[in-house]
Amino acid sequence: MVWHGHILSSDIGLVFGLVLLGWFGAGFDWPLGWFCHTDLATLLPVATPVVASYAAEMAGVRKKSPGSPSALWGKLHTLWQDKHTVLFKTEYTLLVVSVLWFLEIGINVWVIQKVAYTEIDWKAYMDEVEGVINGTYDYTELKGDTGPLVYPAGFVYIFTVLYYITSRGVNIRLAQYIFAAFYLITLLLVFRIYCRTKKVPPYVFFFVCCASYRIHSIFVLRLFNDPVAMMLLFAAVNLFMDGHWTLGCGLYSLAVSVKMNVLLFAPGLLFLLLSEFGLIRTIPKLSLCAVIQLLLGLPFLLENPVGYMSQAFDLGRQFIFKWTVNWRFLPEWLFLNRYFHFLLLAVHLLTLLLFAIRRWKRPGESLFDLLKEPSKRKTPAQKITVDQMVLILFSSNFIGMCFSRSLHYQFYVWYFHTLPFLLWSGGVKKMGDLLRVLILGLIELSWNTYPSTDGSSAALHICHLIILLCLWLASPLPSAPEETQEPTPVKDKRQ
């Protein structure tokens, strides 16, 4: 059917889709409604005329076209004419990521069914939690095929659940589908962040999910614990965006209890907490994080506190040169040298400090001002936007990745989903989208090169340096307004 000589009858499906989207957004608020606050009441007036016209024609009572198209028709017609721009305009992010998410369901099923599973750490995980199930709470005595247990207690509880679900770790195929579910949940959380920020053109999200071999491998072919920690981390970031700081801190602490790499986000999170609440009101949230760690580790702390702390939070663990992705071009003696490690730590802390002073805080403020209550600061307190919040958290983690003593292949998931946001948040205006996508491709290539080479490691560092420089050249947070304003009281959910 042709209506007004422009749109085929198949476009009626678009209207029904809009109505369904509004229904999900208004009634269930998940998963699509959580991305954007779509209201059914706003869609019905839009959809009803088109649906009514379609029903009338099907009944044989065709209406005559009005002399001038309605405003709705004009919008639909414009959308149809500009359909080639859907992949480039951020207002279509929700549409694109929704399609990609459903495609990912099929891709994960195909990968699980067609690509061979590779055993690396799963059996070791199961051996470690089996030791706990059998009554061993001394961390120094918990071991697997690949060595001693080196993860905090949250890992033990989560993988104990997986141990029982997968018939004591034997049902690998079921474990793969569970991790595929973790992957899809992670994508939902990541896509929601990008829908809220609207910084990255939609076509880039194809590279964020469907095109990455290494990420699919880490989730569904290797079954590492890193994806579980990052899933919880992105859930915490979503809570921070919505102002649920206390709940977000609790979930963040749970992510740390699965794997320590989540601590790379800690400097940015501390900065945000101080900015929002000041020192006095930040202490209870930090205390909550500590209490969660204490409660989770209590059975092991009671048995051997020194053993638990030294194993689960071993900051000085020595990495194996064979598996390094980022320092292959160094001689092995230098890679293992403690002075080199201290140098990396010093540069890491210095870079964090410089970003906190020059990029994260507003001009005219000092870091000591953050210790005060927002209402008692010299300059009026301004609410940090979602964009600024995400940028501070993601850049804090990225700086840690740049100066890591070693990066193993599964560590790619630590920052993979944050890279597009960082690239499109940089301050180099002349850097075109093509160059940004090229950097993403080079990073992916570096992580897919096995074993790593001098060239792949050097390329990874060059890409890291370019992103870091772009972040440094980005504008700092806007200055506080000159006129004083009455501080806005913090809502209950932001406590």
Side-chain angles (χ1 to χ4, degrees), residues 334-354:
L334 181 57
F335 173 83
L336 299 174
N337 189 284
R338 288 295 181 183
Y339 292 106
F340 175 63
H341 301 163
F342 286 127
L343 176 63
L344 289 175
L345 177 60
V347 178
H348 178 193
L349 296 177
L350 178 61
T351 306
L352 284 172
L353 181 62
L354 289 174

Side-chain angles (χ1 to χ4, degrees), residues 275 362-365 369-370 373-384 478-488:
S275 298
R362 294 182 175 88
E365 292 180 339
D369 289 335
L370 299 178
E373 289 280 341
S375 59
K376 297 179 182 179
R377 294 170 187 167
K378 294 180 180 179
T379 55
Q382 285 185 296
K383 179 181 176 182
I384 294 179
S479 303
E482 296 181 0
E483 298 182 2
T484 58
Q485 303 174 2
E486 294 185 4
T488 304

